[in-house]
Amino acid sequence: NNALYLDGKKALEGIDSTKDPAFLSSFGGNAYVFYRGDGALLKHVRNGSTFSAGTSWIRSALGFPKDTATSLAIDGKVWMGTTGGRIIVFSQGTRFPFTVKGLTEQFTGAVIVYTTADLQRVYVLEASKNRLVVLNKDGTYVASYFAPELGTSTGILISTDESTAYFPSGSVVYSINLK
C-alpha cells in the first residue's frame, strides 16, 4: 500500500504507483498528486491529520502529452511545465490561457515552473539554457539570470521576499540574488 506520511503518521493513502505519480504539491491545506500514467491531477482534502481519497481536479483536456510534464506549482491556479518548454495553466480545473510575452528567446527545452500564492511572479528554470526566467503572472517577461550551475539543477525555490533564488546542482545548493 502506497501512502504519504505526515509527522510519522499515515496521512494520505492510495497513491497508485502503477499510474506513475510524478508530482506532489499543496495549496490551501489540501494535497495534489499529478499522475503521468493517466494525466490525472487528484485533489486530496485535508481532514485533521489525514487527507481524503483523491478526486479528479482537471476537468478539461490536458493540452499536452501527459508524459512530458516536468513540474507542478499551485498558487490558486495550477502551473505545469513540460519537456518541450511549454507552460500550461489551469484555473478551477480547466485550461487557462497563458502566453509568455516579451521573452526574446522562447523556451524550447524542459522547464520547471515555480510559484506560490505568496509570490508575485512565476519563476521558470530552463536547465538546457542555463537560465532562470522571471515572469509576471500574466506572462510578461521581467528578467533572466544565467549561471552554468543552472544547467544541472533539478529544481528551484524562491525566498518569500523574492530576492533570492535557490537551486540544487549535484550535492550543492546555489543561490542567485534577484533584482
Side-chain angles (χ1 to χ4, degrees), residues 37-174:
D38 61 4
L41 177 64
L42 299 186
K43 174 182 178 180
H44 301 268
V45 177
R46 187 174 187 141
N47 182 11
S49 62
T50 63
F51 293 86
S52 69
T55 57
S56 184
W57 188 84
I58 295 177
R59 295 179 296 196
S60 66
L62 276 180
F64 65 95
K66 61 188 179 246
D67 60 341
T68 66
T70 57
S71 63
L72 171 68
I74 303 175
D75 68 351
K77 292 183 175 69
V78 168
W79 302 77
M80 299 186 80
T82 72
T83 57
R86 294 178 61 199
I87 300 170
I88 308 294
V89 182
F90 294 90
S91 178
Q92 298 179 350
T94 60
R95 282 287 300 274
F96 183 81
F98 181 80
T99 305
V100 176
K101 301 174 275 297
L103 181 64
T104 55
E105 186 179 347
Q106 295 300 311
F107 300 116
T108 56
V111 293
I112 295 174
V113 180
Y114 181 84
T115 193
T116 68
D118 297 326
L119 299 178
Q120 298 300 308
R121 296 193 166 123
V122 176
Y123 298 83
V124 184
L125 170 65
E126 187 175 24
S128 64
K129 293 184 181 170
N130 298 338
R131 72 175 173 169
L132 175 65
V133 175
V134 183
L135 304 170
N136 285 323
K137 290 188 178 183
D138 68 358
T140 306
Y141 172 78
V142 175
S144 291
Y145 299 88
F146 295 87
E149 296 83 5
L150 287 169
T152 56
S153 183
T154 56
I156 51 175
L157 179 68
I158 306 299
S159 63
T160 56
D161 64 0
E162 298 185 71
S163 65
T164 309
Y166 300 94
F167 56 97
S169 183
S171 62
V172 178
V173 176
Y174 293 92

